[in-house]
Amino acid sequence: MQTWAGLTRLLVFVSISLFGFAAWGLTLLEPDRQVYLETFDTTELETVLEGQIMSPGRHSPWSISVDGANLVWRNTSKKTNSQHQSIDWVRFEDNKEITRLNEASLSVTVLPRRFNSGGAGIVAGTYRQRQNWRFNIDNEGGYHVLRQSGRGFARVYKGEHPAIKPNTPNVIAFERQGEEFVFFVNEQEIIRLPTNARRSDPHWIGLTAFGIGTYKFAEMTITQ
């Protein structure tokens, strides 16, 4: 009986070891995440992200330009207006092919100069839902979350956080964790928002701003 018990323990140990080795091998085979860096080092808007950031129409209160270091958004007339631009694909380093973004993380440096209520930041949504979340910061240490559903949008959260530094550039970051969208400022988590979608549904990302003011975006990193 002791011999059979010892043999059983040996077989269990070997099975566990083989499973662990296989899992370790799969981990080693997992491809590295790719990184794309955009510095906005140009004066021609059509060269930013190969033309994905477009100037709004002439009837829009918004104008979008680049100044050689920043992507600059301006709204001069409508304090309740929100603007966003999605980023659908990039060419990652050492890759000549276009890669569609469907599980990407994003970080960007933001400097908002707004009048009354307004801010700038990151927008994220899922392809199966007619809804997106817009996380914005202002220049007084506050943050604003707008939710767009269909054609309408509303501000659903407003608050302050010590991680958001007034009147200075702040780094906003976004990543998806399961069924939640998570937003960070200067490496500190600020808020988690439900995707209202299945875990397997891909998501999309972009830049956003709302309210009257001048909003500058600098050095942007996309990871997938």
Side-chain angles (χ1 to χ4, degrees), residues 7 14 28 40 47 59 66 68 70 117 153 156 170 198 202 213 219:
L7 180 60
V14 170
L28 289 180
F40 305 113
T47 65
H59 297 298
V66 280
N70 302 281
S117 182
F153 70 91
V156 293
N170 288 270
R198 295 177 300 189
E219 194 167 287

Side-chain angles (χ1 to χ4, degrees), residues 34-36 50 52 88-101 224:
Q34 300 180 89
V35 178
Y36 174 89
E50 298 188 58
Q52 290 186 78
D88 300 317
W89 53 268
V90 296
R91 297 180 197 268
F92 287 107
E93 270 188 46
D94 303 323
N95 189 348
K96 295 181 180 180
E97 301 297 323
I98 289 174
T99 300
R100 183 170 180 82
L101 302 178
Q224 179 167 283

Side-chain angles (χ1 to χ4, degrees), residues 10-74:
L10 177 62
L11 290 173
V12 170
F13 174 79
V14 170
S15 298
I16 293 174
S17 299
L18 289 173
F19 177 81
F21 180 79
W24 176 72
L26 289 174
T27 300
L28 289 180
L29 292 173
E30 182 180 345
D32 293 334
R33 287 170 66 83
Q34 300 180 89
V35 178
Y36 174 89
L37 175 64
E38 174 63 67
T39 61
F40 305 113
D41 185 19
T42 180
T43 57
E44 299 178 359
L45 184 61
E46 58 269 23
T47 65
V48 175
L49 291 162
E50 298 188 58
Q52 290 186 78
I53 303 298
M54 297 178 290
S55 180
R58 62 180 182 176
H59 297 298
S60 172
W62 293 90
S63 66
I64 299 179
S65 61
V66 280
D67 64 7
N70 302 281
L71 179 66
V72 184
W73 295 24
R74 288 189 177 91

